[in-house]
Amino acid sequence: MKELSNQLQDLKKARRWVCWKRVTRDGKTTKPPFNPRTGYGAKTNDPDTWGTYEEAKAAHERGDYDGIGFVFTDTEFFGIDLDHVLNEGKISAAAEDVLKTVESYTEKSPSGDGLHILCRGRAPEGARKAKRGEGNDFEIYDRTSPRYFTVTGDVFRDLPIAEKTAEAAAIHRKYWPQEQPKQETPQKASERPQERDPFAEYDILHKMFESAHGDEIRRLWEGDTSANGGDDSAADLSLCAHLIYWTDGDAGLTDRLFRRSGLMREKWDERRGSLTYGQRTIKKALSGWTPRTQAPQRTEGTQQPQKKEAAPDLGRFIPHNVEAYLKEKTFEKDIEYFRQYKDRKTGFVQIDKHLTLYPGLAVLGGVASLGKTTFCTQLADQLIRKGETVLYFSMEQQPIELVTKGLTRTLCELDPATQLSNIEVKNGATSAALDKAKALYAERSKEFYIVNCDFNTTVEQIREYVIQFMKDHGEKKPVLFIDYLQLIAPPEELRGKSDKEIVDHVAKALKMLQ
C-alpha cells in the first residue's frame, strides 16, 4: 500500500486501525474488519480488537488482507463516502459540489471509482445514506456509527483534515433525505419516554449484530435485500421485526434506528392513509411481537392449555443434617473421591503451586481478545500430555483455529528458531520442522476431542453428548472446556429472557453435570 499522506499523522498516531478483506456472501461482496494483531474478526465497538497503524500496515503488506481502515467510534473524526463518482478521471457534478463545499483531505476508495473525505467535527443528525441519483451515491459516518472507514493513501486532494461540521450539515440538507414533520407513531400499550440516547442505540445495534442471527441482520442493515428475493418491502419488514425484538417493542426507537440503516429511502415517509409507509411497517412488525416479559394472557371464557412442568433435575445432594453427614461416613467418601484428583496438575507452574484440578466448575473471565482461548487450548494440551481426556466444546472457533495454536506451540518447543505464526500456518506454510510438529502433536492428541458447536447448541445437548461420550469410552471422566459461556443457546422456554437468567440456567446445568 502507499505510504499515507502527512495530513493523516493524527490518524496514524491513534490505536484505531483494523484490516479488511473482500468476502462474498449471498452474491454480495462485503468488507468485514479484522484484528491486525490476531487475525480474528474486529468489532467497531471493541478497542481490544483494533491495532496500531504499523500493525495494520504490516498485516496488509504480508498479503493477509486487501486493505486497512480507521475506526470512527468515539472520535473527533467523521467521513463522507462518495461511491461511483469517478468515470475515466472525470468526477460527477454532485461529487464536485460536495468537494467544493467540504474542503478537506480526500482520497480514492479501494474500488478506484469513489472518493473518501475525512473531516473533523460531527456529522449531522439524520439519514446516513443520501437520496440516490446519477453521480450521487453518498454516505456519511461519524463517532456514533458502527463503522470503520477504509484508508488507501491514494490521495485525490492532499488537504489538511479540517473541521467541517457546518459544511457537512449544508450538504446533508441538500443531498440527504430530510425527516418529515413528526407523525403519531404506533406505540406499545405501556408507552415509554422517547428521549434519544445514542449510546443506548449503539448498544442495541452491537447486541443485535453479535447475536445468533447477527450476519443476517447486518446484511439487512447495510441494505442487502437478497435474502428477501430483492423485495424491498419484505426486507423493510424483516429488519423492523428484528429491531422491534431488540428494542423490546419500542416503535419510536425502531423508527430512529431504521432511518440509520441502508434500507432507508424516501418511501419510508410517504403517506398511506392516516399513517406513513414506515409507520405501517412498524405496526405490522409489532403485530407479530411478543414482549420478553409478557405475563401469560387469558382470553375470557376460554380454557387455556396448561404447559406440563418438567420434573426438576435435583442433581446430587448431601444429607441436609451435618451430624448425619459426618457420622454416616459420607464425608470420608467425598474425601476419597476428591483424593483421586489430588495429583492432577495444569502444567502451569505458578498455578500448580496453589491449586489442583478437583472436580468443579471454573469460569475464566476477561475482556475480548485478551487470550482466553489461547490459554485454554494450551491448558488442554498440557492436560492431555499428562494422560487426561479433554473434551473441548468450541462455540465460536473452528478446529483449524484451535489445532493451529497447538501446532505453533509444538513447533516452537521443537525448534524456537523455526517458529511460525498461526496466520502463516493457516495460510499454508510448509517446512520439515512443521511436519515433525504435526506428527508429534497428533501423537499427543489421542485423548483430545474438539466438538465443533454452533450458536444453537444448548447446555442440554452438551450434557447429553458428555454422558454418551463417557458410556462409549469406558466411563472416562473427561476435563471439559466450553468456549464460551455466553454463546450457549438457551432452551426454548428461556428464549427472550434476560442474559442473567440464561447464564444462571447454563451454569446450574453445568454444575449438575459436574
Side-chain angles (χ1 to χ4, degrees):
M1 62 171 287
K2 297 183 178 181
E3 184 62 35
L4 297 190
S5 164
N6 288 332
Q7 308 291 359
L8 303 185
Q9 287 304 312
D10 287 346
L11 268 65
K12 290 172 69 174
K13 293 175 185 176
R15 189 180 175 281
R16 293 180 158 275
W17 293 86
V18 294
C19 295
W20 59 268
K21 66 172 69 172
R22 293 180 178 87
V23 175
T24 301
R25 295 171 178 163
D26 299 329
K28 181 177 180 180
T29 300
T30 61
K31 297 191 286 289
F34 290 86
N35 185 327
R37 295 176 290 109
T38 67
Y40 296 124
K43 301 175 183 177
T44 52
N45 69 327
D46 185 353
D48 290 326
T49 65
W50 311 337
T52 64
Y53 166 69
E54 290 74 16
E55 289 168 336
K57 180 183 177 185
H60 174 238
E61 290 178 344
R62 286 196 302 267
D64 298 338
Y65 304 99
D66 294 320
I68 66 174
F70 183 83
V71 181
F72 282 137
T73 308
D74 295 331
T75 68
E76 61 176 312
F77 300 101
F78 67 93
I80 303 172
D81 182 4
L82 311 178
D83 270 347
H84 314 302
V85 296
L86 297 177
N87 185 11
E88 296 182 353
K90 295 182 179 179
I91 185 171
S92 72
E96 182 65 39
D97 180 41
V98 172
L99 290 181
K100 285 182 179 178
T101 305
V102 183
E103 292 184 311
S104 191
Y105 174 85
T106 307
E107 64 178 27
K108 293 183 180 179
S109 65
S111 65
D113 66 354
L115 297 173
H116 286 174
I117 307 173
L118 283 164
C119 310
R120 296 181 191 270
R122 296 296 299 270
E125 296 288 338
R128 294 304 181 196
K129 283 183 177 286
K131 294 179 287 188
R132 296 193 175 188
E134 186 175 350
N136 173 19
D137 187 359
F138 306 158
E139 296 180 76
I140 190 165
Y141 299 103
D142 70 349
R143 65 193 304 272
T144 64
S145 308
R147 293 289 294 269
Y148 73 95
F149 222 38
T150 59
V151 178
T152 63
D154 190 359
V155 176
F156 189 77
R157 293 191 177 170
D158 200 18
L159 302 171
I161 302 179
E163 206 290 329
K164 294 292 178 179
T165 300
E167 291 82 353
I171 64 160
H172 193 269
R173 287 191 296 270
K174 187 172 184 179
Y175 292 103
W176 271 255
Q178 302 305 304
E179 292 189 10
Q180 300 298 313
K182 266 195 170 179
Q183 304 292 333
E184 187 65 27
T185 304
Q187 297 292 313
K188 55 187 293 189
S190 55
E191 292 189 358
R192 65 188 69 183
Q194 295 294 310
E195 296 89 353
R196 181 171 185 184
D197 181 353
F199 294 100
E201 293 177 16
Y202 186 78
D203 186 53
I204 288 170
L205 292 177
H206 167 61
K207 289 179 179 178
M208 187 169 71
F209 293 148
E210 294 300 312
S211 69
H213 299 287
D215 286 345
E216 169 195 338
I217 300 171
R218 185 182 288 277
R219 288 195 290 272
L220 279 169
W221 176 265
E222 292 175 348
D224 183 357
T225 62
S226 59
N228 299 89
D231 186 332
D232 290 342
S233 297
D236 294 343
L237 180 59
S238 183
L239 179 58
C240 281
H242 288 298
L243 290 172
I244 284 293
Y245 172 80
W246 286 103
T247 63
D248 204 15
D250 189 329
L253 181 53
T254 294
D255 177 70
R256 293 202 300 275
L257 290 172
F258 187 95
R259 291 177 182 277
R260 294 171 57 183
S261 78
L263 292 177
M264 178 62 193
R265 55 197 190 282
E266 290 182 67
K267 181 181 177 181
W268 187 254
D269 292 311
E270 290 178 1
R271 303 291 299 181
R272 304 289 176 90
S274 61
L275 299 175
T276 64
Y277 166 77
Q279 290 168 341
R280 286 184 177 275
T281 303
I282 292 175
K283 185 176 182 180
K284 190 171 182 179
L286 273 167
S287 68
W289 167 71
T290 301
R292 301 185 198 180
T293 55
Q294 186 181 45
Q297 298 293 313
R298 184 177 181 85
T299 304
E300 189 66 31
T302 63
Q303 182 66 38
Q304 296 296 312
Q306 297 296 314
K307 184 176 179 180
K308 185 178 179 180
E309 291 293 332
D313 184 350
L314 298 178
R316 174 177 174 270
F317 281 87
I318 64 171
H320 69 279
N321 180 264
V322 174
E323 179 187 24
Y325 178 60
L326 292 171
K327 285 187 174 181
E328 293 173 8
K329 304 299 182 182
T330 307
F331 176 70
E332 281 73 14
K333 291 177 183 177
D334 281 351
I335 288 291
E336 187 57 34
Y337 179 74
F338 269 64
R339 279 175 57 82
Q340 298 175 33
Y341 297 85
K342 69 182 180 65
D343 294 323
R344 298 190 178 189
K345 302 295 184 180
T346 67
F348 289 103
V349 176
Q350 295 300 320
I351 295 177
D352 291 335
K353 285 181 180 179
H354 304 288
L355 56 88
T356 188
L357 288 176
Y358 286 128
L361 177 64
V363 179
L364 176 67
V367 297
S369 298
L370 186 66
K372 298 183 294 296
T373 296
T374 298
F375 171 79
C376 286
T377 53
Q378 183 171 347
L379 176 55
D381 286 348
Q382 291 166 182
L383 290 172
I384 59 176
R385 291 181 66 177
K386 293 178 179 294
E388 299 290 344
T389 298
V390 169
L391 270 178
Y392 198 108
F393 291 87
S394 180
M395 318 295 292
E396 183 181 41
Q397 297 192 15
Q398 298 296 311
I400 184 176
E401 297 173 292
L402 302 177
V403 173
T404 298
K405 294 176 185 291
L407 282 176
T408 53
R409 278 194 295 270
T410 306
L411 179 62
C412 186
E413 174 191 337
L414 291 174
D415 184 1
T418 61
Q419 59 184 301
L420 295 169
S421 69
N422 293 344
I423 295 294
E424 288 172 321
V425 174
K426 283 191 286 188
N427 281 343
T430 59
S431 71
L434 182 58
D435 289 340
K436 188 176 179 181
K438 288 179 183 177
L440 177 58
Y441 192 56
E443 180 64 26
R444 290 173 173 175
S445 301
K446 291 179 179 178
E447 291 298 319
F448 190 5
Y449 299 86
I450 296 175
V451 187
N452 198 28
C453 305
D454 59 30
F455 295 141
N456 295 314
T457 300
T458 65
V459 70
E460 287 75 22
Q461 291 170 328
I462 292 174
R463 181 187 179 111
E464 291 171 9
Y465 187 102
V466 172
I467 292 172
Q468 189 60 49
F469 178 91
M470 292 172 67
K471 289 178 180 177
D472 294 342
H473 292 79
E475 298 301 324
K476 284 183 178 178
K477 295 180 175 63
V479 180
L480 307 184
F481 290 82
I482 300 175
D483 188 9
Y484 53 90
L485 179 67
Q486 292 95 323
L487 290 183
I488 300 177
E492 191 66 37
E493 62 270 19
L494 288 183
R495 299 288 165 88
K497 296 292 186 181
S498 70
D499 290 345
K500 182 183 183 304
E501 290 173 297
I502 294 170
V503 170
D504 284 349
H505 167 81
V506 171
K508 175 185 174 184
L510 292 175
K511 185 68 176 175
M512 288 179 175
L513 175 59
Q514 165 258 307

